[in-house]
Amino acid sequence: MTVFACTGCDAVLSAPLSRVALPVHTRQVWGNGLLPVLMESGTYAVDLEPSGPPWRWWSEVGAEEAEARGVFAPVSRLSFGAAGAIVVAPGDTRGTVLIPERCGGYCCGLDGRDGPNLACERCGRVVATRVDDCSLWQEVRFAPDGVRAVPDPDHLDDRDAPGRETVATPPIDQSGYWNPRWGAAVGAGLAHLLAVSGGTPVAVPDGLVAETFARALDALYGLLPPGKPATAKTVALAGPGLPAPDSAPDILLVPRHPRTGETWQPSDGAATVPLAADVWTHLAFHREPPMVPAPGRLPDGVLRDDPLPRRPHSLFRPDRGVFLATLARLPAVRQPWLRGIYDRVREPWPAGPF
């Protein structure tokens, strides 16, 4: 376990935390309401990409400089802030105060547009940025030069720390709306799936995998120039706890390790598509109860106590922003067929799947 201390005065600025992988929905912008906290309490992640101001437009950066930074297709703008921010839940911070003149945003909260907005309460050093505005996941980002990691002597063993066990995230909330974490996970997975397909259509398994992937895949492959139909590549779920597929699929949907972020690798070296561990777990192990008709009829005034499975209010839509951001960072997007799909999705697409 680790605590983070101010580099100016050594004041402790966080609770004891255990490191996990950066969530795939970190930069997601969703809806127009308040989203929950990004990080589970008791955990932290390191964002290896630059974040926050200053920002530069694509026309200023250019393709060559962007590619050197791992971005292979045009984006609206790139951050030239520091890389390596430590991302934590706001409730896990200690001993910080807001800097009033840097609290831009205020639709419903702070959005970090003015740069770091938290200072060490003891010495006044600028140490972090808090984000809690509407449409954004709530987080605090410690600046890499504002804090230093200190092993916590009272919590050296993190076996019981949060993030050790993966809990499946259901796709639909209590109100019947799709969970935004699914939009992000499927958006990122869709980008990887297109890249490894090589432009050949793919056939996904029936059920929830088809419900979340198939419509978008059909629409995206429909953007390819007409040509000789190819045999579809097969896709299957694979990972720890699942038996080996009966046949040898061309592409496997596999989990990212919740702590390290590493992609699970099959023994046969098949092409893999990483998915967020909590979403993959639900896809791999959740089973809807069978719908068995009850004999006879209930007496008058007696209500059933086994409600039907929840169904969503609308068709599933992968997160367009996460899809584009992921695809822009895959070298395969430089291939003409995939770059054509990328450019089309960036345009207004009223009838599209996003």
Side-chain angles (χ1 to χ4, degrees):
M1 301 286 283
T2 299
V3 297
F4 291 94
C6 174
T7 54
C9 67
D10 286 335
V12 173
L13 301 180
S14 79
L17 304 173
S18 174
R19 183 170 179 174
V20 297
L22 187 72
V24 70
H25 52 283
T26 295
R27 290 180 172 83
Q28 182 184 33
V29 178
W30 183 273
N32 193 36
L34 294 177
L35 290 172
V37 293
L38 174 68
M39 302 299 301
E40 181 182 355
S41 180
T43 68
Y44 76 95
V46 178
D47 189 349
L48 299 180
E49 287 199 24
S51 61
W55 297 86
R56 290 173 58 188
W57 298 104
W58 177 262
S59 58
E60 303 173 37
V61 178
E64 186 174 345
E65 185 177 355
E67 189 166 317
R69 298 181 47 167
V71 180
F72 304 98
V75 295
S76 60
R77 60 179 188 168
L78 284 172
S79 168
F80 278 77
I86 296 98
V87 189
V88 305
D92 282 335
T93 61
R94 305 287 186 268
T96 62
V97 293
L98 284 169
I99 305 172
E101 60 271 20
R102 294 190 178 184
C103 291
Y106 282 133
C107 177
C108 297
L110 313 175
D111 64 8
R113 70 179 64 182
D114 297 326
N117 54 26
L118 289 176
C120 172
E121 186 176 28
R122 180 188 293 177
C123 72
R125 182 181 180 86
V126 177
V127 293
T129 304
R130 175 166 180 150
V131 173
D132 55 17
D133 209 350
C134 56
S135 306
L136 305 174
W137 293 88
Q138 299 180 42
E139 63 179 15
V140 165
R141 289 176 167 257
F142 283 120
D145 61 351
V147 297
R148 62 184 182 88
V150 181
D152 182 13
D154 296 325
H155 300 86
L156 294 177
D157 189 351
D158 68 349
R159 284 178 296 179
D160 296 325
R164 185 170 180 83
E165 298 296 335
T166 301
V167 178
T169 296
I172 304 162
D173 65 20
Q174 296 291 335
S175 301
Y177 293 98
W178 288 99
N179 191 316
R181 295 173 66 138
W182 275 71
V186 175
L190 187 62
H192 285 278
L193 185 53
L194 282 176
V196 301
S197 75
T200 301
V202 299
V204 296
D206 292 335
L208 191 54
V209 177
E211 190 172 355
T212 51
F213 278 92
R215 192 169 70 94
L217 285 170
D218 290 344
L220 294 171
Y221 283 120
L223 300 176
L224 295 177
K228 183 179 178 180
T231 302
K233 293 185 177 181
T234 55
V235 179
L237 288 162
L242 285 183
D246 296 332
S247 58
D250 299 301
I251 302 170
L252 300 176
L253 302 177
V254 300
R256 293 173 63 239
H257 195 284
R259 279 184 173 268
T260 66
E262 295 179 355
T263 300
W264 184 86
Q265 295 296 327
S267 58
D268 60 2
T272 59
V273 170
L275 288 177
D278 56 341
V279 170
W280 180 90
T281 299
H282 187 95
L283 288 172
F285 299 109
H286 180 73
R287 299 293 181 268
E288 293 287 358
M291 302 300 293
V292 180
R297 63 184 299 273
L298 293 174
D300 292 339
V302 176
L303 302 177
R304 296 186 68 94
D305 61 358
D306 51 346
L308 297 176
R310 291 191 302 274
R311 300 301 301 163
H313 297 312
S314 61
L315 294 174
F316 178 80
R317 293 181 178 272
D319 189 284
R320 176 175 173 269
V322 175
F323 169 78
L324 288 171
T326 304
L327 195 54
R329 287 160 175 78
L330 297 179
V333 77
R334 293 176 292 190
Q335 300 175 34
W337 71 271
L338 192 51
R339 175 61 184 273
I341 289 177
Y342 177 87
D343 291 341
R344 179 64 183 88
V345 175
R346 291 188 77 210
E347 300 172 357
W349 193 6
F354 294 100

